[in-house]
Amino acid sequence: SKHPVSTTIQRPPFLDHLPEDLQAQIMRHARQQRVKAGTEIFGPGKPAQNLYLLVSGTLRVQKLAESGREMVLYRVHAGESCILTTACLLAHEDYAATGIAETVLEVIAVPQTVFDELIATSEAFRGLIFKAYSRRITDLLTVIEEVAFRRVDLRLAAKLIDLAGDGDEVRATHQDLAIELGTAREVVSRQLQDFQRRGWLALSRGTLTITNRDALARFAHSADPIAV
């Protein structure tokens, strides 16, 4: 793939609401990077040195607990910024989670020195950063509420519907799904087998096929799964 030089660097949609002169100021210092799928962008204990703005692709942010269990916290999509990176840049602290390129990424990296200067001097930039920050915090609170208070079987059903998108196939291992939900692989395997017994999905190695989407969706959105 062609790597654009600074004069042709692709401007990320995240900056669209800023004045043109401010966008130009940011882009003069920005670097465009193409990252292979599976690459670790940042990890625990590493310093945040750039604000990452996604032009294309998906970044997955996940946390590893001391017990060894992992959980997906959120995903960053094209046109968005990473809240964890923002928090680390603001506090000048190291990362406490891992960011992995889920697909090939086109990323704009804005150096911390530029970020610090604009946070201090530009009301428009501050407003943009904190608006994105507050929106993602709300999303994270929803994740915390789900993990703390919602049954794993309901969360798994909802996650399968989400991952299938407009189709019926989910390409994921039982371990992949366990990481998505922050639970044990054995719990996921047991629940998937139950869904299969109910006729809601068919299991094969590395792939799950939803066979009764309506029933699975009703279950995912029910408050009392026993009554379904």
Side-chain angles (χ1 to χ4, degrees), residues 24-31 109-111 114 117:
Q25 178 185 347
I26 293 170
M27 297 308 293
R28 279 198 298 272
H29 301 281
R31 303 184 312 280
V110 180
V114 178
E117 179 184 351

Side-chain angles (χ1 to χ4, degrees), residues 8 63 67 71 73-74 83 85 101 103 131 149 152 174 176 178:
T8 59
K63 175 75 173 175
S67 64
M71 180 178 179
L73 299 177
Y74 60 88
I83 182 180
T85 298
T103 65
K131 182 178 180 181
F149 303 116
V152 171
H174 295 195
D176 293 335

Side-chain angles (χ1 to χ4, degrees), residues 39-160:
T39 302
E40 183 178 301
I41 307 295
F42 54 78
K46 296 180 181 178
Q49 298 176 322
N50 298 281
L51 174 67
Y52 294 113
L53 307 175
L54 263 65
V55 174
S56 65
T58 303
L59 173 71
R60 184 177 72 249
V61 180
Q62 60 192 53
K63 175 75 173 175
L64 177 65
E66 290 184 7
S67 64
R69 187 174 294 176
E70 290 182 278
M71 180 178 179
V72 174
L73 299 177
Y74 60 88
R75 286 176 168 83
V76 185
H77 302 285
E80 298 177 344
S81 65
C82 174
I83 182 180
L84 182 58
T85 298
T86 301
C88 292
L89 289 171
L90 288 169
H92 289 255
E93 291 183 352
D94 294 342
Y95 285 104
T98 304
I100 300 170
E102 199 160 60
T103 65
V104 174
L105 300 182
E106 291 286 350
V107 178
I108 301 298
V110 180
Q112 168 137 29
T113 52
V114 178
F115 176 88
D116 287 345
E117 179 184 351
L118 291 176
I119 283 289
T121 62
S122 171
E123 183 178 349
F125 184 76
R126 269 198 313 276
L128 181 67
I129 291 296
F130 284 115
K131 182 178 180 181
Y133 191 87
S134 62
R135 186 167 57 241
R136 182 63 76 178
I137 284 288
T138 302
D139 294 341
L140 277 178
L141 288 175
T142 301
V143 171
I144 292 169
E145 182 179 359
E146 290 266 316
V147 173
F149 303 116
R150 199 155 187 252
R151 288 176 51 155
V152 171
D153 51 1
L154 298 176
R155 294 171 54 221
L156 177 59
K159 179 57 67 174
L160 291 172

Side-chain angles (χ1 to χ4, degrees), residues 7 33 38 45 49 58 61 64 66 73-74 97 105 126 134 146 166-167 169 175 177 179 183 185 203-204 218 222-223:
T7 54
Q33 301 172 352
Q49 298 176 322
T58 303
V61 180
L64 177 65
E66 290 184 7
L73 299 177
Y74 60 88
L105 300 182
R126 269 198 313 276
S134 62
E146 290 266 316
D166 295 330
E169 196 171 271
Q175 181 62 31
L177 293 170
I179 292 172
T183 190
R185 182 185 59 79
L203 304 177
S204 58
R218 283 198 303 273
S222 65

Side-chain angles (χ1 to χ4, degrees), residues 160-161 164 167-170 200-202 208-213 216:
L160 291 172
I161 295 291
D168 294 318
E169 196 171 271
V170 177
W200 297 349
L201 55 82
L208 304 92
T209 304
I210 297 174
T211 53
N212 191 333
R213 190 184 186 96
L216 189 64

